[in-house]
Amino acid sequence: MSRYVSKRLSRIEAYTPGEQPQDKKYIKLNTNESPYPASPKVVEAVSADAVARLRLYCDPECKKLTQALAGLYGVGEKNIFLSNGSDDILNFAFMAYGESGVAYADITYGFYPVFAELHGITPTVIPLKEDFSLDVEGFKNQNKLVVIANPNAPTGMEISLSDIESIVLSNPNSVVVIDEAYVDFGGTSAIPLTKKYDNLLVCQTYSKSRSMAGARLGYAVGNEALIADLNKIKYSTNPYNVNTLTQLAGVAAVEDNDYYLGNAQKIIATRVYVIGALEQLGFEVLPSKANFIFARSPKISGLELYLKLKERGVLIRHFEKARIKDFNRITIGSQQEMEIFISKVTEILGE
Ligand SMILES: *Cc1c(COP(=O)(O)O)cnc(C)c1O
């Protein structure tokens, strides 16, 4: 870093994204992308014509996309916020609602501590219970911004809507953000509760179940006033943060929603296969409602398994954090990819 940088920025430890290696072709099970391509309708929407129109600025209101999502979720257009990936929305939420601090779990999405630091917000870290489930009681009466990934990452575990409702009710003077990046893989969305509570914001993304991680598109659903807050930040930084091609792709994806729900069902079926196969190999696998599983083996360390799989062309995610260093997070790819993964794991354990 340069000697000109602010003290605050020099202290920040930036988020480490999962590897996106360009050296050779891996079976990529490390960043929870979909193994399935975009819908043909999405491919069609991003036409040569649309590319030619890139000379013009995009629609900062994302009108058509807002209408499509409002229709999909049965909410008003003023209840939808769109941005450049849900990371962007989380960043805005920390900026808007973190004045009295923020509460999140010890084992959760690695970006939350980065946003807290970036905005100078004091975090209250609430440890997951012994079995890695969320400590619901711990999140009550915090009276500060509450951020919960549900299903959680990297555990894959979910809390119930009634637990979410009790957390929202017990924090009446602060905002509760539910990050639903993985909800389409068997979870239950809290979106319907946003009609009842004006302090609940639900974020979702096109990056996982909708096969569009590279397009950068996320959305939030909530009370009109919350959406207005987020728009104020967006219009104070970069109103054009969802580009024209991504907006077109986003609308086409909503129009072909069944295709994506079908893919999610395939991933759920493959998840059942992978969990069964790993358990047969002696792994402990946490219950997952996501497109990944979190597993550890008594026979091999998390780091060693990660390294040996990488040598064999399979990438999974290993975290250094003490409490979870025995585990690996494994994205559920296609059935064929996962059969190769299981055969490589079997080979490694047999050595
Ligand atoms: C992947 C992920 C996101 C980020 O999604 P983008 O829309 O790609 O920015 C947010 N939250 C969690 C928990 C995630 O795993």
Side-chain angles (χ1 to χ4, degrees):
M1 259 184 306
S2 80
R3 62 195 171 91
Y4 310 105
V5 77
S6 71
K7 282 201 185 66
R8 162 104 75 82
L9 191 59
S10 71
R11 272 200 313 268
I12 288 172
E13 204 180 314
Y15 178 70
T16 315
E19 297 167 89
Q20 304 291 357
Q22 313 291 333
D23 58 332
K24 64 172 187 177
K25 223 170 143 39
Y26 287 93
I27 293 185
K28 243 187 123 280
L29 309 176
N30 68 327
T31 48
N32 299 340
E33 291 137 329
S34 175
Y36 301 112
S39 140
K41 289 191 181 168
V42 168
V43 177
E44 210 176 293
V46 184
S47 61
D49 245 21
V51 174
R53 281 200 309 275
L54 285 177
R55 69 185 183 82
L56 302 173
Y57 278 106
C58 54
D59 172 15
E61 289 180 39
C62 309
K63 192 79 184 157
K64 292 215 170 87
L65 185 49
T66 303
Q67 283 169 345
L69 288 170
L72 184 62
Y73 293 110
V75 298
E77 289 174 36
K78 292 201 162 128
N79 302 115
I80 303 267
F81 175 74
L82 283 147
S83 210
N84 190 278
S86 58
D87 288 339
D88 218 23
I89 301 176
L90 294 164
N91 182 31
F92 291 0
F94 273 73
M95 208 188 291
Y97 307 119
E99 209 159 48
S100 312
V102 59
Y104 49 75
D106 63 339
I107 306 298
T108 189
Y109 188 35
F111 234 130
Y112 304 157
V114 179
F115 290 138
E117 185 124 348
L118 182 64
H119 300 297
I121 298 167
T122 310
T124 300
V125 177
I126 300 173
L128 297 182
K129 294 188 196 165
E130 197 58 34
D131 66 355
F132 294 97
S133 64
L134 195 87
D135 178 9
V136 173
E137 290 308 311
F139 279 91
K140 291 185 182 169
N141 307 305
Q142 282 291 338
N143 287 309
K144 53 178 76 79
L145 173 63
V146 168
V147 183
I148 296 171
N150 196 46
N152 195 15
T155 63
M157 290 168 70
E158 186 191 44
I159 58 168
S160 69
L161 278 193
S162 62
D163 283 339
I164 289 176
E165 195 163 5
S166 67
I167 292 169
V168 172
L169 276 167
S170 70
N171 288 286
N173 299 315
S174 57
V175 170
V176 175
V177 174
I178 305 295
D179 178 356
E180 294 187 346
Y182 300 104
V183 74
D184 291 328
F185 303 101
T188 306
S189 177
I191 286 179
L193 291 179
T194 61
K195 294 185 181 176
K196 206 164 151 191
Y197 301 104
D198 67 1
N199 62 329
L200 172 63
L201 189 72
V202 176
C203 298
Q204 291 195 13
T205 175
Y206 275 68
S207 296
K208 314 285 162 56
S209 61
R210 287 186 170 73
S211 305
M212 267 172 57
R216 311 306 305 132
L217 184 57
Y219 51 98
V221 183
N223 173 270
E224 268 187 52
L226 296 182
I227 301 305
D229 299 336
L230 298 175
N231 270 314
K232 187 163 189 174
I233 301 181
K234 169 166 153 173
Y235 281 80
S236 307
T237 52
N238 180 5
Y240 302 112
N241 70 355
V242 182
N243 73 72
T244 303
L245 302 181
T246 294
Q247 291 190 35
L248 290 168
V251 173
V254 173
E255 285 167 358
D256 208 3
N257 198 43
D258 287 348
Y259 166 77
Y260 293 103
L261 296 183
N263 287 347
Q265 286 308 312
K266 283 199 258 182
I267 288 166
I268 291 169
T270 305
R271 184 175 73 201
V272 172
Y273 157 75
V274 176
I275 293 173
L278 284 179
E279 284 178 347
Q280 274 206 324
L281 291 169
F283 279 80
E284 176 195 351
V285 187
L286 298 188
S288 171
K289 290 274 173 106
N291 67 338
F292 58 83
I293 51 160
F294 205 48
R296 68 178 154 192
S297 165
K299 297 178 196 144
I300 188 168
S301 77
L303 182 62
E304 192 180 353
L305 181 62
Y306 156 77
L307 290 171
K308 290 197 160 163
L309 280 168
K310 189 171 176 184
E311 274 169 28
R312 288 166 172 76
V314 179
L315 272 188
I316 60 174
R317 186 90 190 249
H318 179 255
F319 300 92
E320 296 292 342
K321 206 169 197 171
R323 196 176 169 191
I324 52 171
K325 68 174 180 15
D326 295 340
F327 284 83
N328 287 108
R329 192 193 68 192
I330 302 142
T331 304
I332 305 296
S334 67
Q335 181 68 26
Q336 194 198 4
E337 286 175 323
M338 299 321 284
E339 283 170 13
I340 296 170
F341 161 77
I342 292 294
S343 77
K344 303 277 184 206
V345 174
T346 308
E347 191 182 299
I348 291 165
L349 291 180
E351 278 175 356

